[in-house]
């Protein structure tokens, strides 16, 4: 096992713990926007999809790059827009849109 | 670790900044008032992360012109699709869309694993091949499973549990292939053949896993698939050695994990039980009920209106039937009328009231119900005994007092204590059963009046009747 892998496993484990800590405080009212926001966050996979471009140099590579880019971009953009749309609807008593 | 160039260090610091924005963004979602800011912050982090990746690719100057064209074209098409679907989707269809985004996220993560395994032709180190294999498996299962879930929710595939003969055998074979070939792929020597078999088995397993799950279990399934997507993205991060993917993936994995547990607990069912076969499969215990043949009191609109019009405290108990009938606005209008008459009105929301966690809250928010009026189960249950009228609209199993006794399909399920209210009005089209397939003892309670109507029309009738009787 190399040092980088071990460092990455450490980051993974600690991030899981941070995730549990932060997310268990979200009230049930916001669970759908939370899930949608989390959905948008996993759109960070776009970064990984973009990096395929560095090594793609044949047809298979380009096809993989294309599909991954479409999927990931759809995930990011759609996820954030729809979360924002939902959160716009939550209003306090008395305030009108 | 080797020394980084200044450029690489800056890129990594930007990734760290992006990860920080994600954590803080999720943290801000702990109140409705700050949630929007949280999402914007998370968006900012995402923008920075993507820009850093772009800068990295430019700086490395290794991408071919074709690769750039393909990347930009793909990203543009994907963004367009995402934007259109996010703008057009109706709030009732939110679970399908979230499921679809799970699918594409998991799919993209799996493709990163596939690409990396293919790029290292001839011998991949285990430290990369193992996470790449997990990435392909989890991502593949999530991709096909989420598409099936989305199709079920959209009504493209029957929402009932689909069980075909020999399904168990197929699942077992797929699981064995996933494990066996997976171990081979993880050694880094399997080549293209092993990878293709593994990917196909993962896609098949995703379909086989979700098909037998019934509509009532969708909140759990969506949460679980969300957790899987997060994990797949984290694995993709291990493959390409990118920390922001690992952090973001782990955060989402944790979020999906928590929601899965909450949903499963709210239905008093174990995850294994849900994945193996759901409510409504017809193979559960026979219909058990102590109320067979007990009389039901039918309520006329005027009688219901008198109860509501002179109540000091009313709790509305909405179920998915309310949203299915598009009756949220009619419901809010009645609630506002009662409030104008001085009543205290709250909404009691069971955790599995919609098709995904918190779905009912969004549907009510869309109809302009203030979030302060939406109460969680633990918060509202002690208030039922002090409530003059509990108005149940489109909710069934989650109000069944039989859950407090053992020996029936809903036993042990946490329920809303609707039966403790002084008067109960149930708006329902017929005496039909909920997903659990048993009689609801609430309906035959002496204090319950049944108002048989479609939710939307029934609420409009009640609103008019309240105005008339109190004029």
């Amino acid at each position: 096992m190399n040092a980088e892998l071990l460092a990455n496993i450490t980051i993974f484990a600690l991030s899981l713990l941070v995730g549990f800590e932060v997310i268990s405080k979200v009230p049930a009212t916001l669970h759908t926007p939370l899930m949608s926001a989390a959905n948008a966050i996993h759109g960070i996979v776009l970064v990984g999809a973009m990096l395929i471009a560095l090594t793609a140099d044949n047809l298979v590579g380009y096809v993989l790059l294309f599909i991954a880019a479409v999927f990931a971009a759809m995930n990011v953009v759609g996820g954030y827009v729809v979360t924002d749309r939902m959160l716009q609807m939550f209003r306090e008593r008395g305030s009108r849109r | 670790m080797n020394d980084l160039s200044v450029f690489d260090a800056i890129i990594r610091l930007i990734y760290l900044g992006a990860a920080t924005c994600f954590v803080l963004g999720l943290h801000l979602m702990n109140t409705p008032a700050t949630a929007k800011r949280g999402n914007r912050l998370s968006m900012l982090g995402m923008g920075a992360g993507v820009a850093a990746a772009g800068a990295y690719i430019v700086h490395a100057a290794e991408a071919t012109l074709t690769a750039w064209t393909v990347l930009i074209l793909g990203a543009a098409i994907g963004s367009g699709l995402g934007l259109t679907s996010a703008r057009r989707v109706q709030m009732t269809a939110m679970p399908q869309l979230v499921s679809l985004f799970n699918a594409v996220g998991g799919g993209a993560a799996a493709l990163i694993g596939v690409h990396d395994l293919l790029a290292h032709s001839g011998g991949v180190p285990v430290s990369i091949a193992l996470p790449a294999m997990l990435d392909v498996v989890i991502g593949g299962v999530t991709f096909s499973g989420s598409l099936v879930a989305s199709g079920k929710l959209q009504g493209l595939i029957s929402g009932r549990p689909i069980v075909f003969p020999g399904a168990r055998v197929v699942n077992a074979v797929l699981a064995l292939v996933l494990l066996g070939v997976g171990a081979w792929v993880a050694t880094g020597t399997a080549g293209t053949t092993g990878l293709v078999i593994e990917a196909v088995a993962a896609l098949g397993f995703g379909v086989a896993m979700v098909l037998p799950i019934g509509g009532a279990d969708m909140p759990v399934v969506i949460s679980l698939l969300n957790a899987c997507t997060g994990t797949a993205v984290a694995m993709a991060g291990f493959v390409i050695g990118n920390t922001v993917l690992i952090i973001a993936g782990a955060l989402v994995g944790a979020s999906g994990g928590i929601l899965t547990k909450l949903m499963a607990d709210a239905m008093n069912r174990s995850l294994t039980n849900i994945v193996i076969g759901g409510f409504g499969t017809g193979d559960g215990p026979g219909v058990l009920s102590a109320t067979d043949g007990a009389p039901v009191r039918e309520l006329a609109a005027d009688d219901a209106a008198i109860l509501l019009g002179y109540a000091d405290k009313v709790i509305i108990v909405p179920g998915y039937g309310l949203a299915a009938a598009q009756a949220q606005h009619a419901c809010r209008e009645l609630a506002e009328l009662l409030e104008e008459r001085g009543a205290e009105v709250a909404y009691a929301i069971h955790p599995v009231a919609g098709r995904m966690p918190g779905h009912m809250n969004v549907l009510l928010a869309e109809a302009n119900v203030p979030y302060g009026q939406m109460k969680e189960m633990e918060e509202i249950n002690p208030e039922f005994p002090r409530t003059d009228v509990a108005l149940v609209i489109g909710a069934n199993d989650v109000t069944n007092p039989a859950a407090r006794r053992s020996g029936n399909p809903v036993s042990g399920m946490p329920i809303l204590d609707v039966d403790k209210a002084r008067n109960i009005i149930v708006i329902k089209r017929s005496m039909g059963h909920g997903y659990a397939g048993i009689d609801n003892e609430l309906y035959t309670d002496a204090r319950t009046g049944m108002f048989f109507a479609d939710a939307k029309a029934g609420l409009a009738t009640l609103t008019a009747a309240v105005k008339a009787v109190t004029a």
Side-chain angles (χ1 to χ4, degrees):
Chain A
M1 187 181 275
N2 61 39
E4 195 194 345
L5 181 61
L6 197 63
N8 283 344
I9 292 174
T10 310
I11 291 171
F12 180 67
L14 291 178
S15 304
L16 274 177
L17 294 174
V18 169
F20 281 123
E21 197 58 34
V22 169
I23 287 145
S24 48
K25 296 198 173 76
V26 177
T29 301
L30 288 175
H31 277 168
T32 290
L34 165 71
M35 184 172 278
S36 175
N39 233 320
I41 289 175
H42 68 53
I44 192 70
V45 73
L46 178 59
V47 166
M50 289 167 75
L51 295 175
I52 295 180
L54 285 177
T55 45
D57 55 3
N58 56 23
L59 184 63
V60 178
Y62 292 140
V63 170
L64 289 176
L65 171 62
F66 180 72
I67 303 177
V70 172
F71 279 2
M74 181 175 169
N75 186 171
V76 172
V77 176
Y80 278 114
V81 171
V82 85
T83 308
D84 200 58
R85 219 186 111 193
M86 266 191 279
L87 291 173
Q88 301 265 17
M89 301 187 315
F90 281 85
R91 67 172 183 96
E92 279 182 88
R93 183 183 289 271
S95 65
R96 289 275 166 206
R97 270 176 291 144
Chain B
M1 268 190 243
N2 304 318
D3 280 345
L4 293 168
S5 70
V6 175
F7 180 79
D8 283 354
I10 290 172
I11 296 290
R12 291 206 185 193
L13 285 173
I14 296 176
Y15 286 156
L16 176 62
T20 311
C21 287
F22 297 154
V23 173
L24 293 177
L26 287 171
H27 174 72
L28 286 173
M29 295 202 76
N30 62 10
T31 66
T34 54
K36 207 170 121 187
R37 196 148 33 98
N39 191 50
R40 296 264 162 97
L41 184 63
S42 161
M43 215 185 284
L44 186 75
M46 183 63 69
V50 170
Y56 183 80
I57 300 171
V58 173
H59 185 259
E62 281 167 16
T64 63
L65 185 63
T66 322
W68 271 112
T69 318
V70 167
L71 172 61
I72 291 169
L73 192 67
I77 294 175
S79 305
L81 288 173
L83 194 62
T84 325
S85 49
R87 285 217 175 126
R88 288 199 184 150
V89 68
Q90 299 214 331
M91 290 301 141
T92 40
M94 192 55 63
Q96 290 90 302
L97 190 69
V98 165
S99 218
L100 186 64
F101 290 156
N102 272 338
V104 290
L111 291 173
I112 292 170
V114 169
H115 174 76
D116 221 76
L117 284 172
L118 290 177
H120 289 80
S121 51
V124 188
V126 179
S127 61
I128 287 181
L130 177 63
M133 182 276 287
L134 291 173
D135 179 15
V136 172
V137 170
I138 304 173
V141 169
T142 313
F143 178 70
S144 61
S146 298
L147 284 182
V148 173
S150 188
K152 274 181 173 253
L153 289 158
Q154 185 69 38
L156 300 174
I157 304 172
S158 165
R160 306 168 121 245
I162 300 171
V163 184
F164 52 93
R168 291 259 162 96
V169 181
V170 173
N171 280 348
V173 170
L174 285 172
L176 281 177
V177 172
L178 282 178
L179 284 177
V181 180
W184 183 33
V185 173
T187 62
T189 55
T192 313
T193 324
L195 177 61
V196 169
I197 298 175
E198 188 71 356
V200 170
L203 292 173
F205 192 78
V207 174
M209 185 178 88
V210 179
L211 269 185
I213 299 178
D217 289 331
M218 278 306 159
V220 188
V221 176
I222 294 185
S223 311
L224 181 65
L225 289 167
N226 191 236
C228 288
T229 316
T231 316
V233 170
M235 291 304 134
F238 276 101
V239 174
I240 60 171
N242 187 310
T243 47
V244 71
L245 261 69
I246 299 177
I247 299 172
L251 288 175
V252 180
S255 133
I258 290 178
L259 292 174
T260 308
K261 183 169 186 318
L262 284 178
M263 293 301 109
D265 287 352
M267 299 198 295
N268 188 37
R269 308 191 51 213
S270 72
L271 200 54
T272 347
N273 179 265
I274 288 159
V275 173
I276 287 172
F279 279 158
T281 48
D283 58 2
V287 174
L288 295 173
S289 168
T291 63
D292 273 350
V296 167
R297 185 163 60 98
E298 195 174 337
L299 211 56
D302 287 349
D303 300 329
I306 288 169
L307 279 177
L308 287 167
Y310 294 98
D312 288 326
K313 186 172 170 64
V314 176
I315 295 181
I316 298 175
V317 183
Y320 191 70
L322 176 81
Q326 292 291 328
Q328 306 95 298
H329 284 277
C331 184
R332 194 248 314 148
E333 278 162 28
L334 176 61
E336 282 181 353
L337 175 65
L338 298 179
E339 282 192 302
E340 278 163 28
R341 293 193 43 76
E344 183 192 338
V345 181
Y347 293 80
I349 301 176
H350 192 274
V352 293
R355 283 291 170 272
M356 67 183 288
H359 192 195
M360 187 52 66
N361 304 73
V362 172
L363 295 170
L364 291 174
E366 188 191 17
N368 255 326
V369 173
Y371 57 75
Q373 273 188 331
M374 308 175 196
K375 307 286 185 192
E376 295 178 31
M377 183 166 61
E378 292 78 14
E379 195 184 351
I380 197 90
N381 266 348
E383 296 192 26
F384 278 106
R386 289 185 278 118
T387 299
D388 298 308
V389 182
L391 179 61
V392 181
I393 313 160
N396 193 341
D397 295 331
V398 297
T399 62
N400 194 342
R404 298 195 196 106
R405 288 197 319 270
S406 60
N408 62 65
V410 292
S411 291
M413 182 165 108
I415 56 163
L416 292 163
D417 295 335
V418 178
D419 60 324
K420 294 186 178 158
R422 293 184 193 120
N423 295 283
I424 301 131
I425 301 174
V426 179
I427 304 184
K428 206 170 179 311
R429 268 180 303 192
S430 68
M431 285 297 285
H433 290 154
Y435 279 109
I438 60 167
D439 286 339
N440 189 339
E441 292 171 14
L442 180 72
Y443 302 164
T444 46
D445 190 292
R447 282 165 302 155
T448 303
M450 303 292 293
F451 182 63
F452 291 108
D454 163 74
K456 195 173 180 178
L459 283 164
T461 313
L462 282 184
T463 308
V466 170
K467 280 181 186 158
V469 298
T470 57

